[in-house]
Amino acid sequence: MRILVDENIPLADEFFGELGEITRLPGRDIDAAAVRDQDLLVVRSITRVDAALLDGSRVRFVGTCTIGTDHVDLDYLHEAGIGFANAPGCNADSVVDYVLSSLLLLAEEDGFHLAGKTIGIVGVGNVGSRLAERLDDLDVECLLCDPPRAEAEGREDFLSLDALLERAEIVCLHTPLVTEGEHATRHLLDASRIEALAPGTVLINAGRGACVDNQALRVRLQRASDLRVVLDVWENEPGIDAALYDLVDIATPHIAGHSIDGKMRGTELVYQAAMRQFGLPARKKLGQLKPDPWLRKIVLTPWAPPLEALSLCTRACYDVRRDMLAFDRYRRRMGMATGFDAYRAEYPLRREFSTLRVELKQNKGGLRDALEGFGFKVKLSSK
Ligand SMILES: NC(=O)c1ccc[n+]([C@@H]2O[C@H](COP(=O)([O-])OP(=O)(O)OC[C@H]3O[C@@H](n4cnc5c(N)ncnc54)[C@H](O)[C@@H]3O)[C@@H](O)[C@H]2O)c1
Ligand SMILES: O=C(O)[C@H](O)[C@H](O)COP(=O)(O)O
């Protein structure tokens, strides 16, 4: 069997090696000529998978090691009888780490506490629901909006988008990009909703760029810099709006989900689906292959002030400023589009909060709940 894999997929040899010969290419170089003689194609979100790529090829199965599927023409694959799998939830915890690291940074810069804030989560799937679970320990009020789930599950506690936007001080978007139908998400935040955001609102988009009308957001920020904006995803990646880039508070190149833990989970999920497709046993397990965490444990003495301690653990594990500053360096050196892709391709190793254990000698000021809310494994020990 011949297998073509995006070069930014970790553990591809370990998982797929037993199936046949592996070729690796940058995701944007995967074209019709490259896939023609392949049997299995494993991609990330930057490869458009459609008839133009696959017609006339031998490919029988396509896997994307991502949550999102908006780069894949699912109808075409179905009609062509080509098997398909994505990796639901694989990097959801990584996105939640990104959101919490960003919120902590803004809270420190602006001198506010997360406790007591009202946070609106739009899109309550794997990412949104895990974010809500973690925030549960932090004494924040969570407002949830997910009309497809509200309809399917009869959830009366879910709000409409406009009701959520009216009350939330922090708005987190975790919706997929859906361009058609009753629940389309393209420009879910359109010009009128962006204009109506109350001054001081924090807006975070780590779903898909086009869920927010980027031009309208730029216009609002040019008129008044009264919002705090965190954008990990953008319209027209990698050639994003440079004027908007200059106006937002935290700008990163679609790396919220790029923890090595999330990427490896994505490879495992696609491997399992491919083995099912080919009727083979999936013997490889991520547990056998995963590298050890690089930072295992932080021990906090009774003198640790709770807020500083939370900040220290978060930054030790993942500090969003690293990605902001690095992206800025890359885009200055290479230009926006090339820098955007290059930083993602060379993305430094990042572990998830759940890989770090925090040992506490004393549980002062709700520190244990805050650390657990952020996702760290906490042990209270008097020794
Ligand atoms: N920035 C990143 O690196 C990164 C990483 C992972 C995922 N993502 C994006 O985030 C999206 C969400 O990820 P997930 O794992 O939670 O996906 P998911 O499929 O588990 O959940 C998406 C949720 O959005 C809801 N939804 C759909 N249309 C909606 C609408 N109009 N309004 C409100 N909610 C709506 C769905 O009902 C679903 O519950 C993915 O589709 C992907 O596009 C981005
Ligand atoms: O949908 C996803 O899983 C994420 O957006 C993913 O992190 C995208 O990463 P990429 O495939 O673009 O490297």
Side-chain angles (χ1 to χ4, degrees), residues 30-238:
I30 296 178
D31 59 13
V35 302
R36 191 165 303 125
D37 296 326
Q38 304 293 328
D39 303 286
L40 173 54
L41 174 64
V42 188
V43 297
R44 302 194 58 85
S45 75
I46 53 175
T47 303
R48 176 94 205 127
V49 177
D50 57 11
L53 182 73
L54 293 174
D55 260 354
S57 80
R58 284 192 356 210
V59 172
R60 300 292 10 115
F61 183 84
V62 176
T64 180
C65 297
T66 59
I67 292 179
T69 57
D70 45 290
H71 54 295
V72 181
D73 184 340
L74 296 172
D75 292 339
Y76 164 75
L77 291 184
H78 182 71
E79 279 159 25
I82 298 172
F84 171 74
N86 68 329
C90 64
N91 53 36
D93 284 313
S94 174
V95 179
V96 177
D97 290 356
Y98 172 92
V99 170
L100 293 175
S101 183
S102 301
L103 283 175
L104 193 73
L105 177 60
L106 295 181
E108 286 177 355
E109 284 181 0
D110 292 357
F112 67 82
H113 295 309
L114 286 181
K117 287 280 174 196
T118 302
I119 303 192
I121 300 177
V122 184
V124 194
N126 279 295
V127 177
S129 58
R130 289 184 209 191
L131 176 61
E133 271 168 34
R134 290 213 224 163
L135 290 171
D136 205 35
D137 279 337
L138 297 177
D139 196 23
V140 299
E141 187 188 5
C142 265
L143 309 176
L144 304 176
C145 163
D146 190 319
R149 278 194 62 191
E151 264 176 42
E153 301 166 32
R155 296 279 302 246
E156 289 180 3
D157 52 329
F158 283 16
L159 300 182
S160 71
L161 179 58
D162 290 313
L164 178 145
L165 293 176
E166 217 165 87
R167 287 183 48 206
E169 297 162 280
I170 297 167
V171 178
C172 300
L173 286 187
H174 298 294
T175 42
L177 179 60
V178 182
T179 51
E180 287 170 357
E182 192 191 343
H183 299 303
T185 59
R186 188 175 174 278
H187 291 186
L188 196 60
L189 286 205
D190 58 8
S192 67
R193 286 185 170 131
I194 290 170
E195 282 301 320
L197 290 173
T201 302
V202 174
L203 172 63
I204 301 183
N205 188 9
R208 280 290 181 264
C211 297
V212 174
D213 181 338
N214 280 205
Q215 193 190 337
L217 181 59
R218 169 165 48 74
V219 169
R220 161 80 195 248
L221 295 173
Q222 280 165 337
R223 181 174 58 72
S225 54
D226 60 355
L227 303 176
R228 295 289 258 159
V229 179
V230 180
L231 292 186
D232 179 56
V233 290
W234 309 73
E235 287 198 279
N236 307 317
E237 295 173 10

Side-chain angles (χ1 to χ4, degrees), residues 93-94 97-98 100-101 104 134 258-261 293-298 309-323 347-358 371 374-377:
D93 284 313
S94 174
D97 290 356
Y98 172 92
L100 293 175
S101 183
L104 193 73
R134 290 213 224 163
H258 271 213
S259 71
I260 190 70
D261 306 275
W294 59 14
L295 178 65
R296 272 183 201 286
K297 184 161 103 171
I298 290 183
L310 178 64
S311 169
L312 182 134
C313 296
T314 303
R315 291 200 169 136
C317 203
Y318 173 58
D319 186 344
V320 71
R321 288 176 303 181
R322 178 196 72 178
D323 290 334
Y347 195 66
L349 198 67
R350 170 176 149 207
R351 300 308 300 259
E352 292 177 1
F353 291 170
S354 62
T355 63
L356 177 62
R357 283 191 297 132
V358 183
L371 285 165
F374 264 56
F376 301 108
K377 300 259 182 302

Side-chain angles (χ1 to χ4, degrees), residues 260-378:
I260 190 70
D261 306 275
K263 286 183 181 173
M264 291 187 303
R265 251 179 247 122
T267 314
E268 183 184 39
L269 287 170
V270 166
Y271 160 77
Q272 289 168 342
M275 297 306 266
R276 276 197 300 277
Q277 162 93 8
F278 295 117
L280 297 168
R283 291 201 191 90
K284 303 274 167 63
K285 300 262 182 294
L286 182 54
Q288 307 153 351
L289 304 167
K290 218 174 174 175
D292 279 343
W294 59 14
L295 178 65
R296 272 183 201 286
K297 184 161 103 171
I298 290 183
V299 180
L300 294 171
T301 71
W303 289 278
L307 282 177
E308 280 84 342
L310 178 64
S311 169
L312 182 134
C313 296
T314 303
R315 291 200 169 136
C317 203
Y318 173 58
D319 186 344
V320 71
R321 288 176 303 181
R322 178 196 72 178
D323 290 334
M324 284 166 65
L325 294 171
F327 179 30
D328 196 47
R329 265 196 324 274
Y330 273 65
R331 68 152 195 119
R332 281 171 196 275
R333 199 174 343 126
M334 304 174 174
M336 188 65 89
T338 310
F340 192 102
D341 272 351
Y343 184 56
R344 286 156 51 82
E346 293 164 20
Y347 195 66
L349 198 67
R350 170 176 149 207
R351 300 308 300 259
E352 292 177 1
F353 291 170
S354 62
T355 63
L356 177 62
R357 283 191 297 132
V358 183
E359 197 173 306
L360 276 187
K361 301 291 178 196
Q362 203 179 70
N363 183 20
K364 269 197 307 194
L367 181 56
R368 183 182 192 152
D369 278 354
L371 285 165
E372 284 179 346
F374 264 56
F376 301 108
K377 300 259 182 302
V378 182

